[in-house]
Amino acid sequence: MIQLAEAARRVPLNRARVLQAAVTLADEVGLESLSMRRLAQELGVVPMALYKHVANKEELLDGMVDTIVGEIDPPVPDAPWKTVVRLRVLSARRALLRHPWARPVIESRTNTTPAVLGYMDSFVGMFLAGGFSEDLTHHVMHALGSRMWGFTQEVFDDAAGNGAKDEPRITADAQAAMARRMAETYPNLFRIAVAAAHDDESVVGTGCDDQFEFEFALDLLLDGFERLHEQNWTSGGGKRA
């Protein structure tokens, strides 16, 4: 093992190696623990050696996003536009699920790199190749928003509650009491919570399948895009009063 580690350190340092190491380190220790010093230690170099390849932490994060973009499958050739778009979005989602730290990084980027622009350009190209007008494609991209990256801001977003698994399990009596209070105080929310609750979860818990909800909304959008495309919709004629 020592010989393997030493051999890895003798591999010439380049930008791609730095970025891949940063992605791997963030996967292992989380974004909050990623630093240029920690990354240099992992690569077996002095911190200053990294600055030949990335100017600062922000450029490192930009490059890490580019690395993840590179993991997204390319468009499937010779397939209907809806299939191509759906597969590409779900590939992006799988990439983000492999790297849980990536979503806030993507949301916080202010510098649009060539890799990001290239991904967006190819995304637009999938709709244009499907016969969509430039006008409709423009509005389609707005509607998709962050879904093209494999995530979205949901009304019931459980991302902040990922640590709930470590909390003590609520007793059945406590769950029932919480459900009664919710039914009295927030009757409409309670109705949809009951309708969506899983058999093994409380109606006051999350009870949502994130992947199902993501694909449900994605398919609704794609079906809507298809309908507008078939109707030769334009923003001039489609704007509501």
Side-chain angles (χ1 to χ4, degrees), residues 127-128 130-139 229 232-235:
F127 289 101
L128 295 178
F132 280 50
S133 68
E134 290 85 354
D135 180 34
L136 178 55
T137 301
H138 173 93
H139 296 285
H229 174 47
N232 295 317
W233 181 93
T234 66
S235 58

Side-chain angles (χ1 to χ4, degrees), residues 124-192:
V124 169
M126 290 186 292
F127 289 101
L128 295 178
F132 280 50
S133 68
E134 290 85 354
D135 180 34
L136 178 55
T137 301
H138 173 93
H139 296 285
V140 160
M141 294 295 287
H142 276 289
L144 276 172
S146 63
R147 263 192 186 82
M148 79 176 75
W149 300 108
F151 70 90
T152 186
Q153 288 287 349
E154 303 288 356
V155 174
F156 306 106
D157 193 342
D158 302 326
N162 289 335
K165 295 179 181 178
D166 300 326
E167 297 178 359
R169 186 165 182 83
I170 301 173
T171 65
D173 288 343
Q175 287 181 350
M178 292 169 67
R180 286 195 298 271
R181 288 196 296 271
M182 184 175 181
E184 295 169 358
T185 310
Y186 310 108
N188 298 318
L189 283 175
F190 181 76
R191 286 178 61 183
I192 66 169

Side-chain angles (χ1 to χ4, degrees), residues 23-32 64 68 71 92-107 151 159 162:
V23 168
T24 301
L25 183 59
D27 289 344
E28 293 174 354
V29 303
L31 194 65
E32 64 282 353
M64 290 167 70
I68 293 176
E71 295 181 13
R93 182 167 177 80
R94 287 193 297 274
L96 253 67
L97 291 176
R98 288 193 295 269
H99 310 290
W101 51 267
R103 172 176 166 175
V105 174
I106 291 174
E107 290 179 308
F151 70 90
N162 289 335

Side-chain angles (χ1 to χ4, degrees), residues 54-74:
V54 287
N56 49 46
K57 180 72 173 290
E58 287 302 305
E59 186 175 319
L60 177 68
L61 293 174
D62 286 342
M64 290 167 70
V65 170
D66 288 352
T67 301
I68 293 176
V69 170
E71 295 181 13
I72 301 172
D73 294 336

